[in-house]
Amino acid sequence: MKSKVLYLFLCFCSIITIFIVGCAWYSSTGVVSSGKDTYTVVVSGRGKVWLVDLQKMAFQEANNFCQSKGKVFQRVATKKVPAARGVDPFVELQFRALSPDDPDYLRPDLKPLPDLEAYIEIEETEQ
């Protein structure tokens, strides 16, 4: 009887360990000032992470920051770097926290920054 209970306990612990190890984790730099009314946040992940999830987290953090200051969010640029050998995926979001009546608060012109994916592929083929 004791061996059966011990066996079930070990199986339960193994399943929990596999679940925890297989899960993704995220980290953020937090909002960092990078100029007048301009800020940057970088969200990175490890494990089974989707860039769209990292981007969503970065935008949520930026929006929450702006709302806490009574400002509105204005995206400046976004850089997305996918996972590669030795590189964890991350999203870098540059934004402005502006007053709603600020003349710079305009409809965003969404032009993506070049990703580092091509650079990473070149580095991998040279090795």
Side-chain angles (χ1 to χ4, degrees):
M1 184 69 172
K2 285 184 178 181
S3 64
K4 186 174 182 179
V5 171
L6 180 62
Y7 176 76
L8 289 174
F9 177 75
L10 289 175
C11 286
F12 176 75
C13 290
S14 298
I15 291 170
I16 295 299
T17 303
I18 290 169
F19 178 76
I20 291 171
V21 170
C23 290
W25 64 263
Y26 306 94
S27 65
S28 171
T29 59
V31 176
V32 179
S33 177
S34 53
K36 182 180 177 187
D37 301 326
T38 307
Y39 301 90
T40 301
V41 63
V42 179
V43 178
S44 61
R46 180 172 287 180
K48 296 182 180 188
V49 177
W50 295 95
L51 280 176
V52 68
D53 293 332
L54 297 177
Q55 184 172 349
K56 179 181 176 183
M57 292 174 68
F59 273 80
Q60 285 175 338
E61 191 169 343
N63 272 303
N64 291 341
F65 175 81
C66 291
Q67 288 175 356
S68 72
K69 303 283 187 194
K71 306 280 185 170
V72 291
F73 169 84
Q74 177 74 50
R75 178 188 163 279
V76 174
T78 307
K79 180 175 20 176
K80 298 178 279 188
V81 177
R85 188 176 26 180
V87 177
D88 290 333
F90 70 89
V91 171
E92 179 180 341
L93 172 64
Q94 298 171 351
F95 66 97
R96 291 193 179 103
L98 302 172
S99 299
D101 58 348
D102 191 312
D104 287 337
Y105 183 51
L106 305 170
R107 184 174 308 225
D109 184 16
L110 300 177
K111 294 179 184 174
L113 291 175
D115 291 336
L116 295 178
E117 187 173 355
Y119 173 76
I120 292 169
E121 288 177 6
I122 291 170
E123 286 293 316
E124 288 179 354
T125 56
E126 289 178 359
Q127 295 177 356

